[in-house]
Amino acid sequence: MPRLRSGRTRRSGTAWLLAALAAFDVAGGATAADDGHGLFSPDRAKLGGYAESEIRLFPETPIDPRQETVDGSFAAKPELYLEWGRDYSLNIVPFGRYDAQDANRTHADLREFIFTRHGSDWDGRIGVSKVFWGVTEGRHVVDIINQTDLVEDPDMREKLGQPMVNVAFYRDWGTLSLFVLPGFRERTFPVRDSRLHTFPAPVTNRDAIYESGMGQA
């Protein structure tokens, strides 16, 4: 149990998101329902995404005898985009994969569930999202918002969804983005019998060490 200082209240990530959503409603002065557009009757809806089956073949003999030469998996990533007028939008992107060999690669994640309030010269976002700040082709060293999904992509380009509150202000001199990131997501690692296991010793999320006593909060 993390220790809390006297006189301070610890808020969960969900509490922070709900509080920020209420603030967006106050700042906007109106909701989509006020304009006659209910939550289940958007002005625009778009459904997309993909599903894939994958077979990986490794012709060389593995170092670890528990590793297989053939690995199969199936993945799906649907995407739903909803829009109410010009002021509100919601983007939902779940992801899931089943892997026949790597138990850790069999996983599901909510890549995005982000509600956006569009203002005249600002945007407010709340929910779960991904922020891409890549400036080079090989390594995106400034992508520090989202945690790496290492079991999905050993090149470290796939990211986990991050709970956030984000407000962006657009001015003539540029864009100012402010973030509140409630909660920290631990990086995922492949199991030891995975063929693409990249470490000599197994790594688990249970071994995570935090500088702060708050842990993931």
Side-chain angles (χ1 to χ4, degrees), residues 46 89 161 210:
K46 182 179 179 181
S89 65
Y210 297 93

Side-chain angles (χ1 to χ4, degrees), residues 34 42 90 147 166:
D34 295 333
L90 176 65
Q147 183 60 275
N166 168 228

Side-chain angles (χ1 to χ4, degrees), residues 2 8 27 62 95:
R8 293 189 178 184
F95 173 81

Side-chain angles (χ1 to χ4, degrees), residues 116-194:
T116 304
R117 167 71 163 91
H118 303 278
S120 59
D121 57 356
W122 64 278
D123 285 337
R125 300 177 179 89
I126 180 172
V128 177
S129 188
K130 294 200 302 182
V131 180
F132 178 73
W133 287 338
V135 294
T136 62
E137 186 66 26
R139 294 291 178 182
H140 305 142
V141 295
V142 295
D143 271 351
I144 59 175
I145 297 293
N146 297 88
Q147 183 60 275
T148 299
D149 188 357
L150 195 59
V151 297
E152 183 61 26
D153 184 5
D155 290 336
M156 298 189 294
R157 296 186 181 183
E158 283 292 333
K159 303 291 184 177
L160 299 172
Q162 169 64 41
M164 67 175 63
V165 178
N166 168 228
V167 180
F169 301 94
Y170 306 106
R171 299 294 184 265
D172 294 336
W173 43 263
T175 301
L176 174 63
S177 291
L178 305 177
F179 290 88
V180 175
L181 307 175
F184 175 81
R185 302 209 58 188
E186 295 173 345
R187 180 175 297 191
T188 56
F189 295 90
V191 295
R192 189 166 186 174
D193 55 356
S194 171

Side-chain angles (χ1 to χ4, degrees), residues 5 56 88 119 139 155:
R5 294 183 180 180
R56 298 189 294 186
Y88 300 90
R139 294 291 178 182
D155 290 336

Side-chain angles (χ1 to χ4, degrees), residues 32-66:
D34 295 333
D35 297 329
H37 306 292
L39 179 63
F40 299 103
S41 58
D43 296 321
R44 180 187 176 192
K46 182 179 179 181
L47 181 63
Y50 70 86
E52 66 175 21
S53 58
E54 177 186 82
I55 296 180
R56 298 189 294 186
L57 304 175
F58 303 94
E60 297 184 2
T61 303
I63 298 178
D64 193 319
R66 292 173 298 180

Side-chain angles (χ1 to χ4, degrees), residues 84-136:
W84 294 267
R86 297 182 178 180
D87 295 334
Y88 300 90
S89 65
L90 176 65
N91 199 40
I92 306 174
V93 185
F95 173 81
R97 178 180 294 278
Y98 170 77
D99 192 283
Q101 301 297 332
D102 190 342
N104 282 10
R105 199 168 185 244
T106 298
H107 68 299
D109 181 52
L110 188 58
R111 299 299 204 218
E112 291 191 55
F113 191 102
I114 193 73
F115 175 79
T116 304
R117 167 71 163 91
H118 303 278
S120 59
D121 57 356
W122 64 278
D123 285 337
R125 300 177 179 89
I126 180 172
V128 177
S129 188
K130 294 200 302 182
V131 180
F132 178 73
W133 287 338
V135 294
T136 62

